[in-house]
Amino acid sequence: MTLWNGSYPFYPGANACFPFDTTRAVIITVFLSMLATFIIILPGVRGRGRLFWFLRLVMGLFVGAVVLTIQFTRDWETGKVKANTSYKSFSRAVVNADIGVHIGLEGVNITLKGNPVNQINETINYNEHFSWSFGSNYDRTYSEGLEKGLPSPILYVAEKFTSQSPCAVHRQYRISGHYASAMLWLAFCTWLISILLFSMSILLHGGYMLLLTATLILFSLLFFFTARNTSKCPIQFGPVSLKTDYGESFWLTLVTGLLCLLLGLGVIILNSMKPEKLKLIFNLDKKRGAEEVWDKPCLLAEPSCSMQDMLMAPPSELFEVTATHL
């Protein structure tokens, strides 16, 4: 269940050509607000560490926004075809329209847009969502579409994904979408842990968390891949057929997973081979210098030792001075 069911609140129903996705808009707005807030305080970061700090900020917010947003997108698998097809059952009216299929983790969107939009005294511009998540009933939604009298192309495509269809793809998409979604939620949690570890300067374990995040993201792609490569029934509209392929969300998820993999490996390799450069990237070189000042003992008898150095030394490092009686 999403905010306003993922569309404008003033739409009477799902009969619209891809309504505004409010869930995605809310997520993007939140992350952009966080980015704007950190950009405001960016001038307060001194020295050359400002660029590294900004790059870490952008990459971290990008990964978090993508992992959270793709849970609700409906373009993991897409397909589109232009065809002349019958418009309604028990009618001889034929329309020229673009028929699209947009598959997400929780269901499928079927679009129908006329060329032109106004034909046979009607506005042909439909977008219907059929959910197969565990909290919904796909077959019941399909039956409700039959009762509403949805256009024949939409019902024809939706029938291919029902549990009673000979295509037998309903169970595969439902289970693979559920497990892919679970992997992405776990990836979002491990991303939060990695951000927390990096902020606490626990760099090695933060790198391990990034590797775990990348593994979970890639596993979500693997689960969806199993459903995508099952045998499918042809979706035929006269001489043309509707074929689907991986959509933007799938490729964006793949890029994000590979990015987390490279970043995690980079942190681990730098930590083992060149830890000083890793500390420089995370602005830890100044802290190291301060620790060296504290660790260095200072004797009052040394000419190079000043009173300021004495004040900076910890009390446990001060030497006791014994006085001799003349």
Side-chain angles (χ1 to χ4, degrees):
M1 190 69 178
T2 59
L3 184 63
W4 292 315
N5 290 325
S7 63
Y8 273 131
F10 48 78
Y11 276 122
N15 182 9
C17 186
F18 260 114
F20 185 81
D21 193 342
T22 54
T23 304
R24 188 188 306 185
V26 169
I27 295 173
I28 294 177
T29 301
V30 170
F31 278 89
L32 287 180
S33 301
M34 295 172 60
L35 178 62
T37 302
F38 286 115
I39 289 178
I40 292 175
I41 66 175
L42 181 62
V45 182
R46 298 180 180 180
R48 56 185 177 181
R50 181 182 303 172
L51 177 61
F52 291 125
W53 184 84
F54 182 72
L55 290 177
R56 295 200 313 269
L57 171 67
V58 172
M59 289 183 182
L61 291 179
F62 172 78
V63 172
V66 170
V67 173
L68 189 58
T69 303
I70 56 180
Q71 291 271 4
F72 309 101
T73 56
R74 300 170 182 175
D75 55 353
W76 280 70
E77 184 179 348
T78 60
K80 188 177 181 181
V81 68
K82 181 182 293 185
N84 293 317
T85 178
S86 60
Y87 182 56
K88 289 288 183 71
S89 300
F90 310 106
S91 174
R92 296 182 179 180
V94 176
V95 296
N96 183 272
D98 292 326
I99 306 148
V101 176
H102 309 267
I103 300 174
L105 299 181
E106 296 184 349
V108 57
N109 272 69
I110 304 173
T111 59
L112 178 68
K113 185 175 182 180
N115 293 311
V117 176
N118 296 315
Q119 298 183 48
I120 59 174
N121 296 325
E122 288 193 30
T123 300
I124 305 175
N125 197 359
Y126 288 83
N127 173 49
E128 298 291 335
H129 179 68
F130 300 88
S131 176
W132 52 54
S133 61
F134 284 142
S136 60
N137 190 323
Y138 184 96
D139 292 342
R140 185 177 61 185
T141 306
Y142 174 74
S143 299
E144 292 174 354
L146 288 173
E147 295 175 0
K148 289 193 300 183
L150 292 178
S152 297
I154 293 179
L155 295 175
Y156 169 68
V157 177
E159 190 272 337
K160 300 289 184 179
F161 295 92
T162 59
S163 60
Q164 305 298 326
S165 173
C167 297
V169 296
H170 174 82
R171 185 173 181 271
Q172 286 83 348
Y173 273 108
R174 186 182 188 188
I175 295 178
S176 63
H178 175 75
Y179 282 106
S181 178
M183 291 296 103
L184 290 175
W185 280 119
L186 289 175
F188 184 74
C189 295
T190 55
W191 168 80
L192 288 176
I193 295 174
S194 69
I195 294 296
L196 179 62
L197 292 174
F198 284 136
S199 64
M200 297 172 61
S201 302
I202 310 177
L203 305 183
L204 181 59
H205 292 82
Y208 288 149
M209 281 294 110
L210 273 182
L211 282 182
L212 182 57
T213 302
T215 302
L216 292 172
I217 293 175
L218 295 178
F219 263 104
S220 69
L221 295 175
L222 181 61
F223 280 120
F224 189 80
F225 175 82
T226 58
R228 170 67 178 80
N229 284 272
T230 56
S231 58
K232 296 180 176 63
C233 292
I235 304 177
Q236 199 76 23
F237 293 94
V240 297
S241 60
L242 196 159
K243 298 180 180 180
T244 60
D245 202 353
Y246 294 117
E248 296 179 0
S249 292
F250 181 90
W251 298 115
L252 184 60
T253 306
L254 178 61
V255 170
T256 305
L258 294 178
L259 177 62
C260 291
L261 181 64
L262 292 177
L263 292 177
L265 289 176
V267 170
I268 295 173
I269 293 174
L270 285 178
N271 184 78
S272 60
M273 300 182 63
K274 296 183 178 180
E276 65 281 355
K277 290 189 176 181
L278 182 62
K279 292 181 179 179
L280 178 63
I281 294 175
F282 284 88
N283 298 335
L284 299 179
D285 51 344
K286 295 181 180 179
K287 294 182 181 180
R288 183 185 62 182
E291 292 174 358
E292 291 177 354
V293 172
W294 281 96
D295 293 338
K296 181 180 179 181
C298 182
L299 298 177
L300 286 173
E302 295 181 358
S304 60
C305 181
S306 62
M307 184 59 66
Q308 182 179 2
D309 296 331
M310 281 294 300
L311 294 176
M312 294 179 61
S316 60
E317 298 294 335
L318 295 177
F319 290 91
E320 295 182 359
V321 179
T322 59
T324 58
H325 297 280
L326 297 177

